[in-house]
Every structure is written in C-alpha cells, then in structure tokens.
Amino acid sequence: MQDISLANVTTRLSLAERIVSTTLTTAFCWILIFLNGIMLFTLRNKCMFRETSRYILLFNLLLGDTLLLVVSQLMYCLNSFRITLMYPVCSVLVLFGNLFSRISPLVLVAMSLERYVAVCHPLRHASIMTRGNTVKAMIGMWIVCFIIVLIDDLLILMFPFEQLESLQMTQPCNSIAMSLLPLTEIFDNTYSVLVFFAAGLANISSYVGIVIAAKSAATDKVSARKAKNTLLLHLVQLSLSLLSVIYPNILIILSSLLNWVAFHQMQIFLFVCFFLLPRSLSSLVYGLRDQSLRISLLNVFCCRFKGPVEAVMS
C-alpha cells in the first residue's frame, strides 16, 4: 500500500469536492468488488474449478485483489476526509494492505509458469500442476508474504513510541506515514524491486519459451497463441503494480509542477489507474476469455436474477 493523499492538498479542497471524488471512486471500487465476488463464488461453487490448478491460482489472485480493493478504498476515504487513527490501528491496516498487494505478483508468476508447462510440456502438466502441488505453492506464497509484512511491523516497533505524547497520529493513515524509520522504507523498496524484477524475468522467460514452442509443428497453435496473450496481460498487470510502488514519488513530482486543483484531479486519475484498474483486469479479462468460466458466470447471473425477474413479471 502506498500514500493515497497529500495533506496540503486535501485540506484545501471543499467538503463537496471531497465527497464527489470519494463517492465516484467508492462506487467504481464496489462495482469491481461485486464482479470479483461473483467470480470467487463461481470458482468455489463448481468442483472442476476447485480441482484445476489454473483456477486455484486465479481464485487466490482474485481474493488478494478483492481484499486489497477494500483496504485501499478505506484508506483513500480516510485520507480524503483527513481522518486520523491511532498508530496501532493504522499499523494493522497497512499490514493487511501490504499482505494483499504483495501476493498478486507471486501468483502471476505461478500462473505464467503454469501456462508455460501447459504449452511446452503438455504431457507432464497433469503430474506437475496437481491440485496438491498448487495448494502447497499457494500456502507457501501466503506464508512468505505474511513473513515479509511481519518484518515490516517489527521494524515499526523499533520506533521509540514511548517518546511520543500520544499514539494518536497527526496525519491520515498510509504506508508512508508508517515508515517511521529510514530502514523501513529501504526494506520495502528493496523487496519490491527484487520481486518485480524476478516476476518480470520469469514472465518474459515463459513468454519466450512459449514463442519458441509455438514454432514447433507438435505444439497446439491455438493454445500457444492464447498462452502468449495471457502472459502479455500478466506483464501489463505487473507493470501497473510496479507503478503503484512508485506512486508516492510520482505525486511528489506532480505536486511541484501543477496547481493544487489540477494536482488533485491527477491524483484521483492515478489512483484509479494504479490501484483500481489493475485489480479489475483479473475478473474482466480472465472471466471473459475463459470459455468454461464464462459459461459458469452466465449461469450464476441467470440463476440469481432470473427468479426475481420472473416473480415480478408474474
């Protein structure tokens, strides 16, 4: 999670402007949460999706993105209305935000490798990408992310809070406000750069391997083409996630170039592009591109809305 708002901007905005901007982003956010919720329900409601590795990976990606949407929008609202919290409460919010944001790149790497094995080693795919192996890999990824955020919290505890007059924060809650020691920021930046570099390298390597395999006569051309498109989408998601890491630095640069009205408008635009849109790609892209999942989603919508409609018509 990154800084969502700057104090010297939000204090200048009228209450009406803050209400409008917060309402628009919140409405968009809850639409995405609703779509992701339908996807999650569909993935857990059918045995085929619960037993297939790529759908297990997709479920975890959607789960992390959906929970991150909730936390990031809550922090955005708190920042917009300049609501301050106690340091322990803010620390918990930042912890969960970091946990949910850090799981996505790891799952995208696993999804890229799964597509690589499916196209380049189709005969070994069933034995490698079993349900048990996939579940173990996902548990390992969640544990790694939890350990990283736990280290973040331990670094925060090194700050001498006993020297403060009160644990009440003087600025809205965000990860920048909780970077109380230089070591915390160094650790977060180092981890983010290493993860996204490794994730990008794994994604590109998988893409190159699939491109080479696609030239082979023994390879399914249709599957190879779909896999290449999927990996390109993974790269887009990783790029947008990387931009969200440097989001505060972009805001600092823009604040020196724009007046406060234009800056606030650009801030909302960047929040939507860097935080909301990347979390909408999973449900919109994968839900529409996967035929089996698309059919199941249509069935869910029909079952949920056909009954009330028929009741009203009768």
Side-chain angles (χ1 to χ4, degrees):
M1 292 291 296
Q2 301 296 334
D3 187 14
I4 306 300
S5 181
L6 293 181
N8 60 348
V9 174
T10 54
T11 52
R12 291 180 176 178
L13 296 174
S14 68
L15 179 62
E17 289 173 317
R18 281 179 280 175
I19 291 176
V20 170
S21 62
T22 305
T23 301
L24 291 176
T25 56
T26 302
F28 183 40
C29 179
W30 280 106
I31 291 174
L32 298 180
I33 292 174
F34 173 75
L35 294 175
N36 285 0
I38 294 294
M39 288 273 289
L40 289 170
F41 173 81
T42 304
L43 290 170
R44 293 302 299 171
N45 195 44
K46 199 167 183 178
C47 181
M48 182 190 74
F49 297 143
R50 296 197 302 268
E51 299 295 327
T52 306
S53 59
R54 62 173 173 170
Y55 295 119
I56 296 174
L57 295 172
L58 178 58
F59 178 86
N60 282 270
L61 179 64
L62 286 170
L63 180 63
D65 286 348
T66 304
L67 294 174
L68 179 60
L69 280 172
V70 175
V71 176
S72 62
Q73 187 60 35
L74 173 60
M75 295 179 70
Y76 179 87
C77 293
L78 292 174
N79 277 259
S80 294
F81 293 100
R82 301 292 299 159
I83 299 175
T84 59
L85 302 174
M86 301 286 288
Y87 275 108
V89 178
C90 179
S91 176
V92 172
L93 281 178
V94 172
L95 182 149
F96 281 112
N98 286 334
L99 175 64
F100 302 142
S101 64
R102 283 172 174 162
I103 192 65
S104 296
L106 300 183
V107 179
L108 287 173
V109 171
M111 295 176 73
S112 299
L113 296 176
E114 188 274 333
R115 287 294 85 199
Y116 171 80
V117 174
V119 174
C120 300
H121 304 282
L123 299 179
R124 301 179 58 189
H125 181 265
S127 61
I128 295 176
M129 302 303 301
T130 63
R131 182 184 185 278
N133 290 340
T134 305
V135 171
K136 291 177 183 177
M138 288 312 311
I139 293 175
M141 291 178 189
W142 281 101
I143 291 176
V144 168
C145 292
F146 183 77
I147 292 175
I148 295 300
V149 298
L150 194 59
I151 294 175
D152 274 337
D153 256 24
L154 292 176
L155 292 176
I156 292 174
L157 291 177
M158 294 173 60
F159 184 80
F161 288 102
E162 64 278 1
Q163 298 180 8
L164 299 177
E165 295 181 0
S166 172
L167 290 179
Q168 181 69 35
M169 300 180 66
T170 58
Q171 55 181 315
C173 176
N174 51 65
S175 62
I176 300 300
M178 293 306 299
S179 297
L180 302 173
L181 297 173
L183 185 60
T184 304
E185 187 175 356
I186 294 173
F187 176 78
D188 288 339
N189 291 338
T190 302
Y191 173 82
S192 299
V193 170
L194 290 177
V195 167
F196 284 107
F197 176 78
L201 182 62
N203 205 311
I204 293 173
S205 300
S206 300
Y207 180 83
V208 172
I210 291 175
V211 170
I212 295 174
K215 298 180 180 180
S216 172
T219 303
D220 185 351
K221 305 297 183 182
V222 177
S223 298
R225 186 179 69 252
K226 290 182 179 179
K228 288 192 296 182
N229 294 336
T230 300
L231 292 182
L232 286 176
L233 291 171
H234 290 173
L235 283 174
V236 172
Q237 288 179 284
L238 284 172
S239 300
L240 291 174
S241 298
L242 179 59
L243 288 175
S244 69
V245 172
I246 61 175
Y247 173 69
N249 305 94
I250 297 176
L251 289 183
I252 293 174
I253 296 174
L254 291 177
S255 64
S256 62
L257 300 177
L258 303 175
N259 60 64
W260 64 271
V261 176
F263 173 78
H264 178 68
Q265 294 172 344
M266 182 59 67
Q267 181 188 17
I268 298 174
F269 173 76
L270 294 178
F271 174 73
V272 172
C273 291
F274 293 170
F275 286 90
L276 298 186
L277 286 182
R279 274 77 207 178
S280 68
L281 288 178
S282 300
S283 57
L284 296 177
V285 172
Y286 298 113
L288 294 176
R289 293 180 70 245
D290 190 286
Q291 183 177 359
S292 300
L293 189 54
R294 184 169 63 247
I295 294 174
S296 297
L297 287 172
L298 291 176
N299 289 334
V300 170
F301 274 104
C302 290
C303 292
R304 290 288 177 268
F305 297 108
K306 186 178 180 180
V309 171
E310 288 179 347
V312 172
M313 294 296 292
S314 61

